[in-house]
Amino acid sequence: MMQPLLMRLRQQRPDAEIHVLAPAWSAPLLARMPEVAAVIENPFAHGQFDWAGRKALGRHLGKTGFTQAYVLPNSWKSALVPFFAGIPKRTGYHGEARYFLLNDRHRLDAAAMPRLVDRYAALAGPLVGPTPNPRLTSSPEQQRAVRAALGLPPDVAPIIFCPGAEYGPAKRWPARHFADLALKVSRGGTPVWAIGSAKDAEAGAEIERLADGAAQNLCGRTNLGQAIDLIAGARAVVSNDSGLMHVAAALDRPLAAIYGSSSPGYTPPLSPRAKIVSLGLACSPCFKRECPLQGADRMRCLNDVSPERVLATLETSDA
């Protein structure tokens, strides 16, 4: 979601050197963005305040000569490091009453800009024309290397499943549906690989079991850089609303993106080759981690998305 902002900054200031303060896990992703010169590790866990730690990091960064900082989260604490660093221009949305922490504050018109990607990109100035789509890089050499490392065939174009969603169960299409879809697409000889983090290994194993070998579980066997290269070589991708969904879109792969509790209007996959699969029920988007309903209505937004519907979506894509 941040990369289009970086694209605009690079266009406006071709000689600028852009460093990104971000969690360590995101470094492989940022390395695939040509606009990023360096990554500074953000050591603070989600929700962690650590006034002293943020002050120390800010003072350390104050020695590097940064001229402007863009603060994307809306929280008060996220603006502390650039403030302590003494960066002359500190840009961001007003957020949590950040009057003195930011000195280039923007007011957000959420109705005019419902998409998060546009909100970030607009920090570089008024948007004229469409916001550019994110674009990640992956070379043929990188793709061959990851397949060799994992013992995967080098010359096939798989359909890749991304069954995880860090936010919670209300964003995860059932494993039995993924398995049924694997059985359908594999009949023509197309391999199916399920990828994700170690947290998704159980879901990947269930898909592999229910699909009776029609899907291969790679969840937990790859790092983020390897996942990017596997997706880059895919014939098509089927994904929940997750980080890997956005990776697939940024790699311009044909994509069926399945939405349950979240909204494709807020964080859609940013690619013309992506197709949204959503029932549009009255109860969604609810933005809950777990479905608040009970009985037959529980998880209908995902349970009632049939494998046949997702298969039809794949068949109308560029796959």
Side-chain angles (χ1 to χ4, degrees):
M1 299 293 98
M2 171 195 67
Q3 192 185 15
L5 166 63
L6 307 187
M7 292 173 171
R8 296 194 72 205
L9 295 177
R10 170 65 65 225
Q11 184 178 37
Q12 295 168 6
R13 292 177 266 178
D15 297 331
E17 188 171 295
I18 300 174
H19 294 212
V20 179
L21 174 66
W25 67 262
S26 66
L29 181 67
L30 293 163
R32 304 307 183 95
M33 299 182 185
E35 301 81 13
V36 178
V39 179
I40 305 163
E41 181 180 344
N42 181 350
F44 310 110
H46 180 70
Q48 180 183 4
F49 188 72
D50 193 354
W51 174 277
R54 291 175 190 271
K55 188 173 184 178
L57 177 58
R59 289 187 171 177
H60 172 72
L61 295 180
K63 303 172 185 177
T64 58
F66 290 113
T67 58
Q68 187 168 5
Y70 289 84
V71 182
L72 302 189
N74 282 325
S75 66
W76 193 83
K77 62 182 177 292
S78 65
L80 286 173
V81 170
F83 174 77
F84 286 134
I87 297 174
K89 189 172 184 180
R90 304 182 298 279
T91 301
Y93 287 107
H94 183 74
E96 295 179 349
R98 303 186 291 188
Y99 294 103
F100 69 94
L101 296 177
L102 302 179
N103 54 16
D104 179 30
R105 294 186 303 277
H106 294 233
R107 288 283 183 178
L108 174 64
D109 184 343
M113 284 193 294
R115 300 194 313 171
L116 183 63
V117 65
D118 298 323
R119 298 175 186 182
Y120 287 166
L123 290 174
L127 296 174
V128 179
T131 299
N133 288 333
R135 284 292 174 265
L136 301 178
T137 62
S138 174
S139 69
E141 293 76 17
Q142 289 170 316
Q143 294 170 36
R144 284 194 295 268
V146 67
R147 292 192 183 199
L150 295 171
L152 300 171
D155 54 355
V156 299
I159 289 182
I160 284 183
F161 291 173
C162 303
E166 184 74 15
Y167 186 72
K171 291 176 71 171
R172 299 179 194 141
W173 199 42
R176 67 181 185 278
H177 287 352
F178 273 112
D180 192 8
L181 181 61
L183 287 167
K184 295 178 188 302
V185 302
S186 66
R187 288 170 188 157
T190 301
V192 177
W193 300 342
I195 68 172
S197 71
K199 295 178 181 179
D200 307 319
E202 184 177 346
E206 186 177 5
I207 292 168
E208 186 176 61
R209 179 181 62 81
L210 294 174
D212 196 23
Q216 184 174 356
N217 177 27
L218 300 175
C219 295
R221 292 182 56 191
T222 65
N223 58 37
L224 180 54
Q226 290 173 321
I228 291 170
D229 293 323
L230 288 179
I231 291 173
R235 176 186 170 191
V237 178
V238 179
S239 180
N240 298 322
D241 175 18
S242 66
L244 289 181
M245 177 198 75
H246 292 292
V247 166
L251 291 166
D252 202 29
R253 303 319 302 141
L255 169 65
I258 304 169
Y259 278 77
S261 67
S262 55
S263 168
Y266 180 56
T267 54
L270 300 169
S271 168
R273 304 181 80 183
K275 308 291 184 182
I276 303 294
V277 184
S278 175
L279 296 181
L281 300 180
C283 59
S284 62
C286 67
F287 297 106
K288 302 291 187 182
R289 294 180 184 272
E290 297 197 24
C291 180
L293 303 178
Q294 300 298 323
D297 289 332
R298 184 169 178 79
M299 293 285 290
R300 273 193 59 215
C301 61
L302 291 173
N303 289 337
D304 288 4
V305 175
S306 69
E308 291 78 12
R309 178 170 181 159
V310 176
L311 180 60
T313 301
L314 287 178
E315 291 173 343
T316 60
S317 72
D318 295 336

